[in-house]
Amino acid sequence: MVRTSARTPSTKRKRGATRPLIACVFGTRPQLIKVASVWQLLSQQSRLLLIDSGQHYDHAMAGTFYAGKRIRTPDINLGIKAKSAGSQVARIAAALDPVFTRRRPDAIVTFGDTSTTVGAAIAAAYQNIPVAHVEAGLRSFDLRAAEEKNRVLTDHLSRWLFCPTQTAIANLKNEGITRGVFGVGDVLCETFREVQSRATPNDLFTSFGLTDGDYYLVTCHRAETTDNPERLRELVTVLEDLDRPTLFAVHPRARKNLIRQRLWQRLKRVKTLHLVAPFDHESTIAAIAGAKAVLTDSGGVQREAYWSRVPCLVLRDRTEWVELTNCGAVRVVGLNLTRVRNALRTRWSIRTTRDTHFRKHNASQKIVQILLRELTSR
Ligand code: UD1
């Protein structure tokens, strides 16, 4: 069901007729975080259409961003819910098609690597509406993962590719994409700095009886782990083995599958483990800041741990953020107990990354500047 708020750009069209109409499409928690850094700048210089696919619908996953007024209410909520990634992509593209026909945006902006990212890119590309991809060029080189398919497809459909790192630019070049590629840095960085200034872990310490620097934070939600019973059991074994109090912020997908595999009760028996609902963004950043180490399969949490200078263990077999492994901030340990133990026992020396793009702190400004220049010079 497509819900449209009364506040649509068409009502403003007459007043700002010369300004381009740009549609930002998002739907998951990490995308809401990224949109939070660009939407205000975009709305100062363009007519902005905010479209939420509805992919994440829980209050903990999406609602807190609207409640905290980090994003204004979207103009359109597609309300898409689907059982598989494939049907999610198809339904998002199908729901956007009439929206794009009606509104004819001059460009669409899509973020990251989710079903919403590629659904938006497909719908726009079939109407020859130019696509801007924020966080372009990242690769894990594992096409079995939905996210990798989404990245590759979206990049190949995009006119403007905004890359966070030099590696991302090189990845695109290897696939023959060199036009419209811009190294702008990471939009997440700005949001992180803004949120970090008011995030304090004190409430967490009180609520869970934790001590600063003496607990672990765990997040895990990727389908490659949570939808694979064997890997899910390995995750539980890792969690049972941790030698300190641990906060496990449980994503709905992980929770559902832990219950289905009868592993939830096993986790509840671990005395040092606090099983909590997903935190809002501010609490996540606070929890990272106070942790001794973070164990995660999330791309965003890896970068936030690096900016917080907190050791980060990646519970996957690879990472797209090789800059972070190169500077000693991240170690890829998979779900291997020995590698997890070793990583937690050894000393970490976290250096500043050498990647000149990743070191930039004004990605959203650059993206908006480039996009507006490109759209107004056509
Ligand atoms: C999606 C993205 C992933 C991203 C992650 C961030 C895809 C293919 N995956 O994964 O790249 O890192 O978001 O969180 O797009 N669910 C709820 N409440 C919600 C959201 C989801 O209960 O608010 C449930 C859904 O019903 C579904 C499961 O969680 O059963 C998975 O949700 P889905 O949006 O398909 O993928 P994520 O695992 O969140």
Side-chain angles (χ1 to χ4, degrees):
M1 190 198 46
V2 177
R3 280 182 279 136
T4 309
S5 87
R7 203 165 148 222
T8 58
S10 55
T11 56
K12 292 186 174 180
R13 194 160 286 196
K14 282 179 204 122
R15 257 193 294 146
T18 54
R19 292 191 298 164
L21 177 63
I22 298 177
C24 274
V25 189
F26 50 91
T28 64
R29 185 163 62 155
Q31 288 169 323
L32 285 156
I33 295 173
K34 286 160 205 165
V35 176
S37 73
V38 296
W39 77 270
Q40 271 167 317
L41 276 178
L42 270 175
S43 60
Q44 283 159 17
Q45 300 179 54
S46 69
R47 290 172 293 131
L48 184 65
L49 185 61
L50 290 182
I51 305 177
D52 186 339
S53 69
Q55 184 175 340
H56 281 180
Y57 46 87
D58 279 0
H59 184 71
M61 301 300 289
T64 55
F65 286 86
Y66 297 122
K69 304 235 183 303
R70 299 213 7 228
I71 303 185
R72 74 160 162 81
T73 308
D75 302 292
I76 296 171
N77 191 321
L78 302 174
I80 300 294
K81 288 196 185 69
K83 286 224 173 333
S84 71
S87 68
Q88 223 166 23
V89 172
R91 293 185 62 192
I92 290 167
L96 284 170
D97 190 54
V99 175
F100 291 163
T101 304
R102 216 169 47 245
R103 302 295 174 86
R104 290 307 306 168
D106 296 292
I108 72 126
V109 187
T110 191
F111 301 80
D113 57 13
T114 72
S115 303
T116 298
T117 315
V118 70
I122 291 170
Y126 274 92
Q127 297 210 20
N128 294 319
I129 296 167
V131 176
H133 184 201
V134 174
E135 239 177 51
L138 295 172
R139 295 291 181 268
S140 66
F141 303 102
D142 178 6
L143 258 180
R144 285 170 307 171
E147 288 82 2
E148 185 74 350
K149 290 187 258 284
N150 298 342
R151 293 182 194 113
V152 173
L153 290 168
T154 305
D155 284 341
H156 284 262
L157 292 174
S158 295
R159 176 165 318 167
W160 303 289
L161 300 102
F162 294 113
C163 297
T165 62
Q166 289 167 301
T167 316
I169 296 176
N171 290 338
L172 291 176
K173 195 169 172 203
N174 286 339
E175 292 173 22
I177 304 176
T178 51
R179 288 185 61 187
V181 175
F182 302 92
V184 292
D186 189 353
V187 280
L188 186 58
C189 181
E190 289 148 86
T191 314
F192 170 80
R193 296 205 185 283
E194 188 251 314
V195 175
Q196 186 200 33
S197 61
R198 51 192 155 79
T200 137
N202 292 342
D203 290 348
L204 286 173
F205 298 161
T206 318
S207 312
F208 299 103
L210 302 171
T211 310
D212 194 4
D214 195 33
Y215 66 91
Y216 301 125
L217 172 70
V218 179
T219 81
C220 186
H221 70 273
R222 296 232 168 216
E224 65 204 61
T225 308
T226 60
D227 293 6
N228 178 333
E230 202 178 314
R231 286 182 72 81
L232 207 53
R233 263 190 291 279
E234 285 168 352
L235 171 70
V236 170
T237 308
V238 165
L239 293 173
E240 286 172 331
D241 188 66
L242 293 175
D243 59 354
R244 278 185 169 70
T246 300
L247 276 180
F248 180 17
V250 193
H251 185 281
R253 177 198 282 280
R255 189 172 195 279
K256 233 179 254 181
N257 288 327
L258 282 163
I259 292 170
R260 194 172 290 154
Q261 297 302 324
R262 300 174 195 279
L263 294 165
W264 188 249
Q265 288 305 325
R266 211 172 118 185
L267 282 182
K268 280 176 98 173
R269 284 196 290 272
V270 183
K271 291 213 166 46
T272 49
L273 191 61
H274 301 279
L275 297 167
V276 291
F279 291 129
D280 62 26
H281 193 214
E282 198 171 314
S283 306
T284 304
I285 288 177
I288 293 171
K292 180 174 174 61
V294 174
L295 293 82
T296 188
D297 64 355
S298 151
V301 173
Q302 288 175 56
R303 282 118 81 197
E304 289 166 344
Y306 161 70
W307 293 316
S308 309
R309 293 294 190 267
V310 170
C312 178
L313 284 66
V314 172
L315 303 171
R316 297 169 56 199
D317 299 328
R318 55 192 92 217
T319 176
E320 302 79 51
W321 297 94
V322 287
E323 303 65 32
L324 301 181
T325 49
N326 292 343
C327 71
V330 158
R331 294 189 197 168
V332 177
V333 293
L335 288 163
N336 180 304
L337 196 56
T338 314
R339 283 164 70 191
V340 171
R341 278 183 188 159
N342 287 343
L344 291 176
R345 279 178 196 155
T346 48
R347 258 180 68 81
W348 288 56
S349 148
I350 302 175
R351 303 172 299 280
T352 300
T353 171
R354 291 194 179 168
D355 190 292
T356 48
H357 293 312
F358 194 59
R359 286 164 68 143
K360 289 175 184 163
H361 289 169
N362 58 350
S364 58
Q365 227 178 330
K366 284 209 147 7
I367 290 168
V368 174
Q369 251 171 21
I370 295 167
L371 201 52
L372 267 293
R373 188 188 66 211
E374 294 275 314
L375 286 171
T376 48
S377 66
R378 282 193 303 167

